[in-house]
Amino acid sequence: MYSASSSDYIKAWLQYPLPQHALSRITHWLTRREWSAFKDWSIRDFIHRFGVDMSEAAEPDVRAYPTFNAFFTRSLRAGARPMAMEADAVVSPVDGAVSQMGVIEGGRIFQAKGRWFSTLELLGGDEAAAAVFKDGAYTTLYLSPKDYHRIHMPVAGRLYKMLQVPGRLFSVNPPTTRAVPRLFARNERVACLFDTDIGPMALVMVGAMNVASIETVWAGEITPPQRRSVRAWDYKDGEVQLDKGAEAGRFNMGSTVILLFAKDRIRWDVAYGPNSPVRMGRKIAASL
């Protein structure tokens, strides 16, 4: 990823004084209004503006969605995302693009040229959670507005912990990623920690400007509300077990997903690099 330009810094600086959470609360409210004329116009404008392919949607008729948020988190028609069937396949959890993909070096994850953030920061200061990913592997996947916004399991797993980490709500688009230091460790996020057949895995859903909420299939809406300290849920009894490809959560408006794996458990597919498009269900790595 290229170094930040003057334009990138200006776009980032303009975000610092904004009431990021207040704006997101307004978005949360507006996108859930059942005002037919406003809702239908908003959806059609969004489809036109961002080039959304509604032929992939389970429901292609915009009038059938009760709210803009229902459209934004729409399901796909059967067969729209075939799942990689190889036994060793680690699949993309989302539609989007690869921001970065590589190895965790000295407890640090690469963000963009000259910018890093730590695994410990990303996981809300939970030392035990961060320790299992020492020298492990990571990828950062960016979801643009036009993308499908449900999040699925890269491999089958059993949830053992979930963390809600408070923070800012900077945009996570490429210019801001290049310009804002430690962006993904500063934004509000939900980290889901799983035991899998290939060892521990973290699936981290990072909030952003106008990402009005993050939710999971087992706990519903996690954000909002905004919190001042890290909140943790323990799932020691194995009550949440999800197959590969199963839906795990969704962004109500778009953002970024970060995956973490332990050392020597996976090998990333060399066909993918920064800015490579990905589709949910495609193989992005092989288990070792």
Side-chain angles (χ1 to χ4, degrees):
M1 186 176 286
Y2 301 113
S3 299
S5 66
S6 297
S7 174
D8 294 339
Y9 282 115
I10 291 170
K11 291 174 183 176
W13 288 336
L14 290 173
Q15 296 178 49
Y16 278 88
L18 290 176
Q20 297 170 345
H21 286 89
L23 290 172
S24 293
R25 285 194 294 272
I26 293 170
T27 300
H28 184 280
W29 185 81
L30 281 174
T31 56
R32 286 159 176 78
R33 297 307 94 196
E34 297 185 11
W35 302 332
S36 295
F38 172 78
K39 176 265 298 182
D40 291 347
W41 173 83
S42 297
I43 293 173
R44 290 192 177 101
D45 179 70
F46 189 92
I47 290 170
H48 175 74
R49 187 183 302 273
F50 294 106
V52 178
D53 183 1
M54 290 300 289
S55 69
E56 297 182 331
E59 177 51 78
D61 183 359
V62 300
R63 295 170 298 179
Y65 295 99
T67 65
F68 182 89
N69 190 65
F71 151 75
F72 195 85
T73 58
R74 64 196 174 276
S75 60
L76 297 177
R77 61 175 171 78
R81 295 292 182 273
M83 192 69 50
M85 299 307 294
E86 300 95 321
D88 68 345
V90 177
V91 304
S92 175
V94 294
D95 286 3
V98 175
S99 293
Q100 298 295 337
M101 182 178 276
V103 175
I104 300 168
E105 300 179 12
R108 299 191 307 163
I109 297 170
F110 185 63
Q111 176 176 305
K113 189 170 182 179
R115 305 207 180 280
W116 300 74
F117 58 95
S118 75
T119 311
L120 182 62
E121 288 178 304
L122 181 68
L123 299 179
D126 189 320
E127 294 184 358
V132 300
F133 300 108
K134 185 178 187 302
D135 301 324
Y138 76 93
T139 187
T140 305
L141 305 172
Y142 169 66
L143 288 73
S144 72
K146 71 176 182 180
D147 289 320
Y148 168 66
H149 279 83
R150 298 193 183 190
I151 303 157
H152 296 253
M153 290 291 288
V155 293
R158 179 183 63 81
L159 182 71
Y160 66 89
K161 193 168 190 176
M162 181 170 71
L163 302 166
Q164 179 189 353
V165 186
R168 298 292 301 270
L169 288 174
F170 290 103
S171 170
V172 291
N173 61 22
T176 310
T177 302
R178 291 190 292 265
V180 175
R182 302 171 33 257
L183 173 64
F184 302 118
R186 296 173 73 172
N187 272 16
E188 184 174 80
R189 53 208 178 274
V190 175
C192 306
L193 307 177
F194 292 88
D195 283 323
T196 79
D197 287 344
I198 57 173
M201 177 190 76
L203 188 157
V204 184
M205 297 176 278
V206 182
M209 187 82 73
N210 289 325
V211 178
S213 80
I214 299 170
E215 62 184 80
T216 67
V217 297
W218 57 85
E221 190 172 72
I222 309 300
T223 67
Q226 181 186 3
R227 298 186 63 84
R228 294 183 178 275
S229 59
V230 176
R231 185 181 183 189
W233 293 258
D234 287 318
Y235 296 86
K236 300 296 188 184
D237 55 4
E239 64 184 87
V240 180
Q241 299 192 48
L242 299 172
D243 293 334
K244 180 167 69 176
E247 184 182 345
R250 62 185 67 173
F251 287 120
N252 299 296
M253 304 302 283
S255 193
T256 289
V257 167
I258 299 174
L259 294 178
L260 307 178
F261 292 92
K263 182 180 179 181
D264 297 333
R265 296 305 179 99
I266 67 160
R267 180 177 59 250
W268 296 119
D269 189 329
V270 296
Y272 292 96
N275 302 316
S276 296
V278 291
R279 285 289 186 98
M280 192 278 288
R282 296 278 182 89
K283 183 177 180 179
I284 58 172
S287 60
L288 299 177

Coordinates of all heavy atoms in Angstrom, one line a residue, residues 87-91 152-158 194-199 201 242-246 261 266 287:
A87 N -10.4 -29.8 1.9 CA -10.4 -30.0 3.3 C -9.5 -29.0 4.0 O -9.7 -28.6 5.2 CB -9.9 -31.4 3.6
D88 N -8.4 -28.5 3.3 CA -7.5 -27.5 4.0 C -7.9 -26.1 3.7 O -7.1 -25.2 4.1 CB -6.1 -27.8 3.5 CG -5.9 -27.5 2.0 OD1 -6.9 -27.3 1.3 OD2 -4.7 -27.4 1.6
A89 N -9.0 -25.8 3.1 CA -9.3 -24.5 2.7 C -9.7 -23.6 3.8 O -10.6 -23.9 4.7 CB -10.5 -24.5 1.7
V90 N -9.1 -22.4 3.9 CA -9.5 -21.3 4.8 C -10.1 -20.3 3.8 O -9.5 -19.8 2.9 CB -8.3 -20.7 5.5 CG1 -8.8 -19.5 6.4 CG2 -7.6 -21.7 6.4
V91 N -11.4 -20.0 4.0 CA -12.1 -19.2 3.1 C -12.3 -17.7 3.5 O -12.2 -17.4 4.7 CB -13.5 -19.8 2.7 CG1 -13.4 -21.2 2.3 CG2 -14.4 -19.7 3.9
H152 N -18.9 -14.3 7.5 CA -19.0 -15.7 7.6 C -17.8 -16.3 8.2 O -16.7 -15.7 8.3 CB -19.4 -16.3 6.3 CG -20.7 -15.9 5.7 ND1 -21.8 -16.7 5.7 CD2 -21.1 -14.7 5.2 CE1 -22.8 -16.0 5.2 NE2 -22.4 -14.8 4.9
M153 N -17.9 -17.6 8.6 CA -16.7 -18.2 9.2 C -15.7 -18.7 8.2 O -16.1 -19.4 7.2 CB -17.2 -19.4 10.0 CG -18.0 -19.1 11.3 SD -17.0 -18.3 12.6 CE -16.1 -19.7 13.1
P154 N -14.4 -18.4 8.4 CA -13.4 -18.9 7.4 C -13.1 -20.4 7.6 O -12.7 -21.0 6.6 CB -12.1 -18.1 7.9 CG -12.6 -17.0 8.7 CD -13.9 -17.5 9.4
V155 N -13.3 -20.9 8.8 CA -13.2 -22.3 9.1 C -14.2 -22.6 10.2 O -14.7 -21.6 10.9 CB -11.8 -22.7 9.6 CG1 -10.7 -22.5 8.6 CG2 -11.4 -21.8 10.9
A156 N -14.5 -23.8 10.5 CA -15.4 -24.2 11.5 C -14.8 -23.9 12.9 O -13.6 -24.0 13.0 CB -15.8 -25.7 11.5
G157 N -15.6 -23.4 13.9 CA -15.0 -23.1 15.1 C -16.0 -23.0 16.3 O -17.2 -22.9 16.1
R158 N -15.4 -23.0 17.5 CA -16.2 -22.9 18.7 C -15.8 -21.6 19.4 O -14.7 -21.4 19.7 CB -16.0 -24.1 19.6 CG -16.7 -24.0 21.0 CD -16.4 -25.2 21.8 NE -15.0 -25.2 22.2 CZ -14.5 -24.5 23.2 NH1 -15.3 -23.7 23.9 NH2 -13.2 -24.5 23.5
F194 N -12.1 -17.8 18.6 CA -12.6 -19.2 18.4 C -11.5 -20.2 18.6 O -10.3 -19.9 18.3 CB -13.1 -19.3 17.0 CG -14.4 -18.5 16.7 CD1 -14.3 -17.2 16.2 CD2 -15.6 -19.1 16.8 CE1 -15.5 -16.5 15.9 CE2 -16.8 -18.4 16.5 CZ -16.7 -17.1 16.1
D195 N -11.9 -21.4 19.0 CA -11.1 -22.6 18.9 C -11.5 -23.3 17.6 O -12.7 -23.5 17.4 CB -11.3 -23.5 20.1 CG -10.6 -23.1 21.4 OD1 -9.5 -22.5 21.2 OD2 -11.1 -23.2 22.5
T196 N -10.5 -23.7 16.8 CA -10.8 -24.4 15.6 C -9.9 -25.6 15.5 O -9.0 -25.8 16.3 CB -10.6 -23.5 14.4 OG1 -9.2 -23.4 14.1 CG2 -11.1 -22.1 14.6
D197 N -10.1 -26.4 14.4 CA -9.2 -27.6 14.2 C -7.8 -27.2 13.9 O -6.9 -28.1 13.9 CB -9.8 -28.5 13.1 CG -11.1 -29.2 13.6 OD1 -11.3 -29.3 14.8 OD2 -11.8 -29.7 12.7
I198 N -7.6 -26.0 13.5 CA -6.2 -25.5 13.2 C -5.7 -24.5 14.2 O -4.9 -23.7 13.9 CB -6.2 -24.9 11.7 CG1 -7.2 -23.8 11.5 CG2 -6.4 -26.0 10.7 CD1 -7.0 -23.0 10.2
G199 N -6.3 -24.6 15.4 CA -5.9 -23.7 16.5 C -6.7 -22.5 16.7 O -7.8 -22.4 16.1
M201 N -8.3 -18.8 16.5 CA -8.6 -17.8 15.4 C -9.3 -16.6 16.1 O -10.2 -16.8 16.9 CB -9.4 -18.4 14.3 CG -9.8 -17.4 13.2 SD -11.1 -18.1 12.1 CE -12.6 -18.0 13.1
L242 N -20.0 -22.9 15.1 CA -20.4 -22.5 13.7 C -19.5 -23.3 12.7 O -18.3 -23.4 12.8 CB -20.2 -21.0 13.5 CG -21.0 -20.1 14.5 CD1 -20.6 -18.7 14.3 CD2 -22.5 -20.3 14.2
D243 N -20.2 -23.8 11.6 CA -19.5 -24.4 10.6 C -18.8 -23.5 9.7 O -19.1 -22.3 9.6 CB -20.5 -25.2 9.7 CG -21.1 -26.4 10.5 OD1 -20.4 -26.9 11.4 OD2 -22.2 -26.8 10.2
K244 N -17.8 -23.9 8.9 CA -17.2 -23.1 7.9 C -18.3 -22.5 6.9 O -19.1 -23.3 6.4 CB -16.1 -23.9 7.1 CG -15.4 -23.1 6.0 CD -14.2 -23.7 5.5 CE -14.5 -25.0 4.7 NZ -13.3 -25.6 4.1
G245 N -18.2 -21.3 6.7 CA -19.2 -20.6 5.8 C -20.4 -20.2 6.5 O -21.2 -19.4 5.9
A246 N -20.7 -20.6 7.7 CA -21.9 -20.1 8.4 C -21.8 -18.6 8.8 O -20.7 -18.1 9.0 CB -22.0 -20.9 9.7
F261 N -4.5 -15.8 13.1 CA -4.3 -17.2 13.3 C -3.0 -17.4 14.0 O -2.1 -16.6 14.0 CB -4.3 -18.0 12.0 CG -5.6 -18.1 11.2 CD1 -5.9 -17.1 10.3 CD2 -6.5 -19.1 11.5 CE1 -7.1 -17.2 9.6 CE2 -7.7 -19.1 10.8 CZ -8.0 -18.2 9.9
I266 N -1.4 -21.7 9.2 CA -2.0 -21.5 7.8 C -0.9 -21.0 6.9 O 0.1 -20.5 7.4 CB -3.2 -20.6 7.8 CG1 -2.7 -19.1 8.2 CG2 -4.3 -21.0 8.7 CD1 -3.7 -18.1 7.7
S287 N -4.7 -24.6 5.4 CA -4.2 -25.0 6.7 C -3.0 -25.9 6.6 O -2.8 -26.6 5.6 CB -5.3 -25.7 7.5 OG -5.7 -26.9 6.7

